[in-house]
Amino acid sequence: MGCSAGREAVQSRGTGLESVKKHIETNFNVAQNAILHILIVLVLSAVSWLAHAAEPVLRVAVLNHSPPMSYTDPAGKLTGFNVEIMHALCEAMNARCEPVSVTLERVVDAVAAGEFDFAAVSLLATPERRARVLMTRPYYRSISVWFARPGVRPGDGRVALVKGGVQYRYGTAHAWSVIPVENHDGIATALHQGTADATLLPMATALALQQDPRIRGLGLTTAVLRDPELAGDVCLSVNPRSPELADKLNEAIDLIKRDGRFDRINSRFIPFRLQ
Amino acid sequence: MDDDRSRGLEQTSGATPPVIAGERIRHWPAGTVLAGLGLVFAAIAASLVMWLAVDQRLVKDVALQLHDQTVPWTLERQRLARNLEELRFGGQSVLTAGDQGRREEAFFLIRVLAAHPSMGDDPRVAVLVAEVESFLAQIVSGASKPDMARWEALSNRLRLLADDLSVEGGQRMTVELARMTDAMNQARYKLLFNLILVGAFLASFLVILQRFLIRPLQRIHASLTTLDPHGPVPQPAPLAMAEIHVVEKAIVRFHETLRENEDVRRKLERLATTDSLTGLPNRRHFMGLAAAEMARAARYGRPITVGIADLDHFKQVNDRFGHSAGDHVLQVFAALLAETLRQTDLVCRYGGEEFAFIFPETAPEEAMRLAGRLRLRLADRPVVLADGQVLQVTVSMGLADGAGRGLEECLARADQALYEAKDRGRDRIVVVEAGHEGVLMPP
């Protein structure tokens, strides 16, 4: 009996050692697998980082508070027709883009100064702008729409205009009583608050303004001003020292207009086809 | 054989060179011909490539036009059609709006769309859109009440125009694709034609190569391998390249030289083997032939007889009538030998007025008869000298059986028999048979 108990004790000791050995082996295998996984993740991360680093990073100027072209959605994400077009173009060019919000007033100056590689801002291709920055091929054509309180005709009353826009230049050139604002959202505010009686703004932005609940009850009348200065080809502006980027953007515009990406973005933000 | 040889001699002895066919034809150097053919081929190939390039360029132009103009134009047409549909929906909203505010709101889109520059791109669109805007503007302003029938008409026109715009792009693309297909088909036919033409040119080139280069080379090969100075003169091809022609002319000259050398060789051989006075084989030549005959007879155990003859009193003929008369006698006797003896018999002028004989396949008895016939013919044919005098010439002859003996021994025995004949009074034949030496035969 005693011998038997001794054997059991020995066996028990023996079983305990094997258990420890197995435990150590198991831990070792787990550690080995963990190290392997970490190495794989590190390698993949490095590859991803290298691939990412290989892509050029383009600084892109975009507007904010200018629906439906560029605005911040309720989720806090910068979106809009021009913002999504920018993403599509960058994807087509295999480039990584970094959007930076600016005011319309600064767009041409900043691009001309090389602060940005290009601006995803709809600019009418005026000779003055062409002289300062490179312009891509037109990606649609625009017109300007007059919004005014009843009885206010162009040239009458206080006209809220976004600084830096063709409409602002037009208003100041025609000695209108201009209320300068920073962005298109400011126009709705000015009209709503009564600091302005009218405004002149681009077609697409006019569509959004018309839907703005702040001005719906104002009974504004609308008219299309057919002055050639206020209509025409809309282009993107490009750093004048990057003609090759302008070429790439032209190719990308051509591509997304062919493969349907342009029209899909168009449908998301504007009720008719931009042409 | 002698006739052939004499003909060969006549050909070579004449001063006229062999006539070479095609001598007056201009022969072009192979390098020039090949370079010329290469240039022609290159010119043809270049022309064909340019011919094909026209279609390729057309395909490229159409493809570029399709890519750069038609596809964008088609997409713009479809966008315009979509905007017409938007216009139609907007018009419907204006007409069905519950209040003036909503009506004006719906009309705002109409106004913006109608004012957009794209609506002026197509006159049909511009007219219809202006008509629609005017119709809706009157309703929005309250100038007129909604006329649904007219709106249905306008709406249908908008829909149809949108349809037309949608398919126009496809039609234009179809036309251009058809142009491209035609050009590609044409290019394919041209390519096929070009391949046939190139094939024909290569075939012609091979024919020219075969006819003017390879076949002449084969002919040269055949001429050189079968070149025979006794054969006909090789005839150069009338149409061959200059290099080939030069080689063929060289072969003709080589053949001529070979034939001249052969003639000279024959002359020398004749001089070396014949006696110049009588035309009979000389002694040296005779000894060679005789030794061969003796050996053959000994090998096969055949009978053979050796003889030596001497004209009687020939010294007196020379002394009395002169050496020319003696020479004439020798010539007459040699001619008589040629007439009398068999073709298989050998004879030569052994020296002076002595003649040696070999009678193959002939026993001494038969040789005795032959010699007797010779003696009798000589007796019947006196020699007429140049001055008309007639000489009766006789001959003494010794014969020896040659079976189983050497030539020199036989000649010595025949010579001994000849002395016996002289001693016996001349004009007679003495034969020494084997084992019966010294037996004298009566004249």
Side-chain angles (χ1 to χ4, degrees):
Chain A
M1 186 70 168
C3 289
S4 173
R7 270 200 303 275
E8 283 175 3
V10 169
Q11 282 175 350
S12 171
R13 276 203 300 274
T15 307
L17 282 172
E18 285 172 4
S19 166
V20 169
K21 193 176 172 185
K22 279 183 183 174
H23 184 69
I24 290 169
E25 282 178 354
T26 306
N27 284 343
F28 179 76
N29 287 337
V30 168
Q32 200 176 23
N33 286 338
I35 290 168
L36 194 62
H37 286 151
I38 289 167
L39 280 175
I40 289 170
V41 168
L42 283 175
V43 168
L44 289 176
S45 301
V47 169
S48 171
W49 181 82
L50 284 173
H52 212 58
E55 289 179 2
V57 179
L58 300 176
R59 280 175 59 82
V60 186
V62 293
L63 300 183
N64 202 348
H65 309 294
S66 296
M69 309 308 270
S70 305
Y71 61 97
T72 305
D73 67 9
K77 182 190 168 197
L78 191 64
T79 187
F81 177 78
N82 276 336
V83 175
E84 300 306 322
I85 287 293
M86 173 203 74
H87 289 310
L89 294 176
C90 291
E91 184 185 358
M93 291 189 297
N94 289 322
R96 198 150 58 90
C97 291
E98 183 187 331
V100 178
S101 293
V102 293
T103 59
L104 181 60
E105 186 182 19
R106 281 204 66 241
V107 168
V108 174
D109 291 339
V111 172
E115 289 180 38
F116 299 98
D117 294 297
F118 72 98
V121 177
S122 301
L123 294 180
L124 281 176
T126 62
E128 296 77 13
R129 286 170 172 168
R130 283 188 185 281
R132 299 193 62 203
V133 292
L134 294 175
M135 301 296 259
T136 64
R137 67 178 52 166
Y139 64 119
Y140 70 93
R141 286 172 288 179
S142 184
I143 54 177
S144 296
V145 180
W146 172 259
F147 274 83
R149 294 179 188 280
V152 178
R153 297 168 58 82
D156 298 340
R158 298 159 298 166
V159 185
L161 296 173
V162 179
K163 288 188 284 185
V166 165
Q167 294 78 15
Y168 180 85
R169 186 168 171 273
Y170 184 85
T172 52
H174 287 78
W176 290 355
S177 174
V178 174
I179 308 296
V181 294
E182 292 294 326
N183 50 51
H184 294 94
D185 196 42
I187 289 177
T189 305
L191 288 172
H192 174 66
Q193 293 176 347
T195 54
D197 304 312
T199 186
L200 183 64
L201 67 173
M203 168 186 78
T205 319
L207 290 170
L209 183 69
Q210 196 238 3
Q211 299 295 323
D212 194 314
R214 289 175 291 177
I215 67 162
R216 271 193 159 174
L218 299 179
L220 299 180
T221 60
T222 61
V224 175
L225 297 194
R226 297 182 184 273
D227 196 308
E229 289 181 50
L230 298 172
D233 292 336
V234 174
C235 308
L236 303 178
S237 52
V238 185
N239 183 343
R241 287 167 287 279
S242 301
E244 67 285 353
L245 177 61
D247 293 339
K248 285 183 181 176
L249 280 167
N250 284 335
E251 289 175 12
I253 289 169
D254 189 48
L255 179 65
I256 66 171
K257 290 195 90 169
R258 283 170 189 276
D259 65 15
R261 274 182 279 183
F262 183 88
D263 289 335
R264 291 176 69 84
I265 295 168
N266 185 166
S267 296
R268 284 174 59 193
F269 297 99
I270 295 165
F272 57 86
R273 284 281 176 263
L274 291 178
Q275 287 188 277
Chain B
M1 179 65 99
D2 287 339
D3 286 344
D4 288 346
R5 290 177 184 181
S6 62
R7 277 199 296 274
L9 235 108
E10 282 169 13
Q11 283 182 359
T12 49
S13 60
T16 310
V19 177
I20 297 173
E23 192 62 45
R24 292 184 180 178
I25 296 173
R26 184 171 184 182
H27 297 275
W28 293 89
T32 306
V33 171
L34 291 178
L37 285 173
L39 282 175
V40 170
F41 181 75
I44 291 174
S47 306
L48 294 179
V49 167
M50 288 173 70
W51 194 36
L52 264 177
V54 171
D55 289 326
Q56 285 186 330
R57 188 183 183 88
L58 181 61
V59 170
K60 187 184 169 190
D61 289 347
V62 174
L64 275 176
Q65 184 179 345
L66 200 61
H67 182 270
D68 294 343
Q69 296 175 21
T70 306
V71 169
W73 184 83
T74 301
L75 291 171
E76 289 299 318
R77 286 310 240 200
Q78 289 175 351
R79 290 183 184 115
L80 189 56
R82 168 74 181 268
N83 283 345
L84 289 185
E85 285 294 306
E86 292 292 341
L87 200 67
R88 199 165 65 82
F89 296 143
Q92 196 71 27
S93 299
V94 169
L95 289 170
T96 57
D99 53 52
Q100 182 62 17
R102 291 186 184 281
R103 193 172 290 121
E104 286 181 359
E105 191 176 312
F107 184 66
F108 174 72
L109 183 64
I110 302 290
R111 177 167 284 161
V112 171
L113 265 175
H116 194 271
S118 62
M119 295 297 173
D121 290 345
D122 188 296
R124 296 168 297 171
V125 174
V127 169
L128 181 57
V129 168
E131 198 175 335
V132 168
E133 186 190 11
S134 171
F135 170 75
L136 294 173
Q138 286 182 352
I139 291 172
V140 171
S141 65
S144 63
K145 291 193 173 179
D147 182 350
M148 292 307 291
R150 189 168 172 222
W151 169 246
E152 281 300 323
L154 287 170
S155 178
N156 279 337
R157 285 172 62 193
L158 281 171
R159 188 189 295 124
L160 289 174
L161 188 53
D163 289 343
D164 289 347
L165 293 173
S166 293
V167 298
E168 278 171 4
Q171 287 171 346
R172 190 160 151 181
M173 288 170 75
T174 304
V175 169
E176 288 179 4
L177 282 172
R179 273 181 66 204
M180 195 187 296
T181 306
D182 287 346
M184 288 172 76
N185 280 334
Q186 198 171 335
R188 198 174 61 175
Y189 295 139
K190 282 184 182 178
L191 184 64
L192 189 65
F193 176 76
N194 291 351
L195 287 175
I196 291 170
L197 206 62
V198 169
F201 186 85
L202 285 177
S204 309
F205 183 74
L206 289 177
V207 167
I208 289 170
L209 211 63
Q210 162 72 11
R211 184 167 178 188
F212 297 104
L213 202 63
I214 296 175
R215 201 182 291 170
L217 282 174
Q218 290 170 336
R219 201 168 47 240
I220 287 169
H221 176 260
S223 294
L224 286 174
T225 49
T226 61
L227 195 64
D228 180 5
H230 309 301
V233 178
Q235 288 296 320
L239 294 172
M241 292 175 186
E243 292 84 349
I244 298 288
H245 188 66
V246 166
V247 173
E248 288 190 319
K249 284 205 310 188
I251 291 174
V252 171
R253 285 197 299 274
F254 182 52
H255 180 268
E256 195 180 336
T257 306
L258 280 181
R259 199 162 53 189
E260 285 172 2
N261 290 344
E262 179 66 12
D263 291 342
V264 170
R265 188 190 66 77
R266 282 183 187 165
K267 281 180 185 173
L268 289 173
E269 184 182 4
R270 195 166 53 193
L271 286 172
T273 59
T274 58
D275 174 57
S276 60
L277 179 64
T278 60
L280 294 174
N282 61 20
R283 181 173 175 170
R284 188 171 56 82
H285 185 49
F286 171 83
M287 292 301 282
L289 296 174
E293 282 296 334
M294 293 294 289
R296 191 182 65 80
R299 189 183 311 126
Y300 298 109
R302 304 299 301 168
I304 189 166
T305 302
V306 177
I308 291 182
D310 187 86
L311 294 175
D312 298 331
H313 304 297
F314 187 74
K315 187 173 182 299
Q316 290 174 16
V317 173
N318 274 337
D319 293 344
R320 186 174 169 189
F321 299 102
H323 284 281
S324 61
D327 290 345
H328 183 63
V329 168
L330 288 172
Q331 287 172 337
V332 169
F333 182 67
L336 189 66
L337 286 173
E339 289 174 10
T340 308
L341 297 181
R342 301 167 303 185
Q343 280 198 337
T344 53
D345 298 335
L346 295 175
V347 62
C348 78
R349 189 181 172 201
Y350 201 58
E353 68 277 19
E354 275 190 347
F355 296 86
F357 301 85
I358 295 289
F359 299 104
E361 299 289 333
T362 306
E365 294 81 5
E366 179 63 19
M368 181 72 184
R369 278 193 292 276
L370 278 170
R373 193 169 64 189
L374 175 67
R375 192 178 67 85
L376 289 175
R377 282 195 179 182
L378 183 62
D380 290 343
R381 193 176 296 178
V383 177
V384 179
L385 299 178
D387 57 0
Q389 294 187 72
V390 176
L391 282 178
Q392 187 62 51
V393 179
T394 60
V395 64
S396 298
M397 193 169 181
L399 296 173
D401 185 2
R405 290 189 172 82
L407 176 60
E408 293 295 335
E409 182 188 349
C410 290
L411 284 171
R413 286 165 60 84
D415 196 40
Q416 188 185 351
L418 174 61
Y419 277 112
E420 286 293 331
K422 292 281 186 184
D423 286 348
R424 286 289 176 178
R426 295 184 173 83
D427 191 21
R428 67 193 61 220
I429 300 159
V430 173
V431 62
V432 182
E433 291 191 59
H436 297 86
E437 293 180 14
V439 175
L440 303 176
M441 296 301 290

